[in-house]
Amino acid sequence: MTRKNYTFTSESVSEGHPDKVCDRVSDAILDAFLAEEPNARVACETFATTNRVVVGGEVGLSTKDATHAMLERVDAIVRHCVKDIGYEQDAFHWNTLSVQNYLHEQSAHIAQGVDRDGAGDQGIMFGYACRDTPELMPAPIQYAQAILRRLAEARKSGAEPTLGPDAKSQLSLRYEDGKPVEVTSIVLSTQHKHESQSSDDIRAIVEPYIREVLPSGWITEATEWWVNPTGTFVIGGPDGDAGLTGRKIIVDTYGGAAPHGGGAFSGKDPTKVDRSAAYAARYLAKNVVASGLADRCTLQMSYAIGVARPLSIYVDTHGTGQVDAARIERAVAECMDLTPRGIRTHLGLNRPIYARTSAYGHFGREPESDGGFSWEKTDLTAALKAAV
């Protein structure tokens, strides 16, 4: 039986977190290649440490000359990302850091399977949706992301000039009868510019924004606040801790409220099912819940490298389904072409829409007019209901 009364916690990190700096660089390079050619191939990894960013992996355009020309742009892309995030520290500055570029052409052995419309790798991918929030996301991760996004807006607008780019949040929410009703604890650590600023000073800055973001009544007198609990946090970002692409997969998805297949997203073009099939799984799970077929839905798909069709589809509605889960499994396969090419076409994924996904979550975002976050649409509800 599903528990109705419990406390659940999720964490998030800001765009200035070292790992998120790397995700941003990898996805910005991906966007640059896709803007050049919609069928570009990119598998880009980034490492960041004190005044240094290292980029490596496999990329490919239709000609070697075009590929080499794009590789010449990598240095400028890296610096733009770091500047936009806001790093101008002595030991991590967009203008003075060293950029090492080890990107090279994609392996022909990998390309041969993808070129036949097969999956770019084997793997399992999960999607999830629930009725916690209007976005049909688990509330702890949705609001942990929203807090950091709001603080970044305040920092970048100049409203809070003493805040730095690096930050982490964590929310513990108490559920009653299956619904979130109270924040039991808030943890917020944010980089700041002045050694003289105490934890109380930082709380005075961030608390109004946190209260603005969270639903009315969720913060009570019993809510525990932990703001910069270790004290001073002036040295942050890759100067304080090294970063790598793909190390925040739970932050990127459902905050631990749902399974994860293990594959990271950033830096991977949409032929990689680690990314595209995870987006499709979220799209389908969200549409199942939006259609009223269930209040919660976990959906898994599996793929093999070079094979187009998914090897399996699994649905769990956690006891909330209005129809048998097996009927939903059949319906999702009827309503959407779940081959890698079918997913890319249905969701319009061969576009430069990925740098914006690199922080504050890949899911629970508003679909955008240029195709960004297309997997958050709920335009499949009528077809799903008809299919079951």
Side-chain angles (χ1 to χ4, degrees):
M1 180 180 292
T2 301
R3 291 183 65 188
K4 296 291 186 179
N5 303 310
Y6 56 92
T7 299
F8 193 82
T9 303
S10 293
E11 69 149 351
S12 181
V13 298
S14 72
E15 63 199 77
H17 185 280
D19 296 331
K20 282 291 150 198
V21 172
C22 295
D23 286 346
R24 170 69 178 274
V25 168
S26 293
D27 273 339
I29 290 170
L30 168 62
D31 278 355
F33 273 80
L34 289 174
E36 189 72 16
E37 291 183 12
N39 293 316
R41 300 287 163 73
V42 177
C44 175
E45 309 293 344
T46 302
F47 166 67
T49 186
T50 303
N51 254 347
R52 187 175 302 274
V53 174
V54 182
V55 179
E58 299 183 324
V59 296
L61 294 173
S62 56
T63 68
K64 288 189 175 185
D65 287 347
T67 301
H68 293 157
M70 283 299 302
L71 291 176
E72 294 295 320
R73 295 174 51 191
V74 167
D75 185 278
I77 292 169
V78 170
R79 295 182 192 281
H80 173 77
C81 290
V82 175
K83 183 179 183 180
D84 185 66
I85 290 168
Y87 277 115
E88 294 186 342
Q89 298 171 195
D90 289 343
F92 196 75
H93 193 296
W94 63 269
N95 193 39
T96 59
L97 61 81
S98 171
V99 178
Q100 294 172 256
N101 178 8
Y102 298 104
L103 290 167
H104 57 87
E105 289 188 81
Q106 184 186 49
S107 160
H109 292 166
I110 292 176
Q112 65 186 357
V114 179
D115 290 339
R116 293 196 299 265
D117 295 335
D121 201 354
Q122 70 178 50
I124 57 174
M125 298 82 204
F126 286 93
Y128 181 73
C130 64
R131 294 201 178 277
D132 277 14
T133 65
E135 298 84 5
L136 304 183
M137 282 287 288
I141 186 65
Q142 188 70 9
Y143 288 107
Q145 306 275 29
I147 287 168
L148 293 180
R149 189 163 56 244
R150 183 67 187 93
L151 290 175
E153 290 168 356
R155 172 177 62 86
K156 289 185 169 184
S157 71
E160 302 297 346
T162 65
L163 295 184
D166 195 356
K168 301 179 80 171
S169 65
Q170 184 172 288
L171 280 184
S172 297
L173 290 186
R174 182 173 67 84
Y175 283 71
E176 192 172 281
D177 195 26
K179 298 178 180 178
V181 296
E182 179 188 13
V183 179
T184 61
S185 67
I186 298 169
V187 183
L188 192 287
S189 295
T190 181
Q191 184 183 10
H192 53 97
K193 293 188 177 179
H194 304 306
E195 295 271 358
S196 60
Q197 289 175 298
S198 67
S199 296
D200 289 341
D201 294 331
I202 300 302
R203 176 171 172 175
I205 293 171
V206 303
E207 183 172 342
Y209 296 103
I210 294 173
R211 289 184 177 274
E212 173 190 325
V213 166
L214 294 176
S216 177
W218 279 19
I219 297 177
T220 69
E221 290 185 359
T223 301
E224 294 184 13
W225 289 77
W226 301 96
V227 177
N228 280 21
T230 62
T232 304
F233 183 9
V234 172
I235 299 174
D239 181 34
D241 190 11
L244 285 170
T245 299
R247 285 206 299 197
K248 288 292 178 283
I249 58 176
I250 301 303
V251 168
D252 285 343
T253 53
Y254 307 105
H260 193 293
F265 300 155
S266 291
K268 297 178 181 178
D269 74 69
T271 66
K272 280 74 171 175
V273 284
D274 272 348
R275 182 169 218 158
S276 56
Y279 289 174
R282 160 63 179 172
Y283 173 69
L284 292 170
K286 186 175 183 180
N287 276 271
V288 166
V289 173
S291 68
L293 294 174
D295 290 336
R296 290 175 62 200
C297 180
T298 298
L299 187 147
Q300 183 208 54
M301 296 188 290
S302 66
Y303 289 84
I305 188 167
V307 179
R309 62 177 178 80
L311 305 185
S312 66
I313 300 172
Y314 166 78
V315 167
D316 184 358
T317 56
H318 307 277
T320 70
Q322 300 301 306
V323 298
D324 186 72
R327 291 173 64 185
I328 298 176
E329 290 167 356
R330 292 192 293 270
V332 297
E334 291 173 17
C335 294
M336 183 176 177
D337 179 355
L338 293 173
T339 64
R341 179 181 290 275
I343 292 170
R344 296 195 302 275
T345 301
H346 190 108
L347 297 178
L349 298 182
N350 288 100
R351 291 185 268 193
I353 55 174
Y354 296 104
R356 69 194 76 171
T357 70
S358 62
Y360 313 119
H362 292 246
F363 307 133
R365 310 280 288 271
E366 283 293 317
E368 298 177 347
S369 59
D370 66 350
F373 302 102
S374 60
W375 48 93
E376 290 297 311
K377 292 181 179 179
T378 53
D379 54 0
L380 208 63
T381 55
L384 282 172
K385 286 190 284 189
V388 299

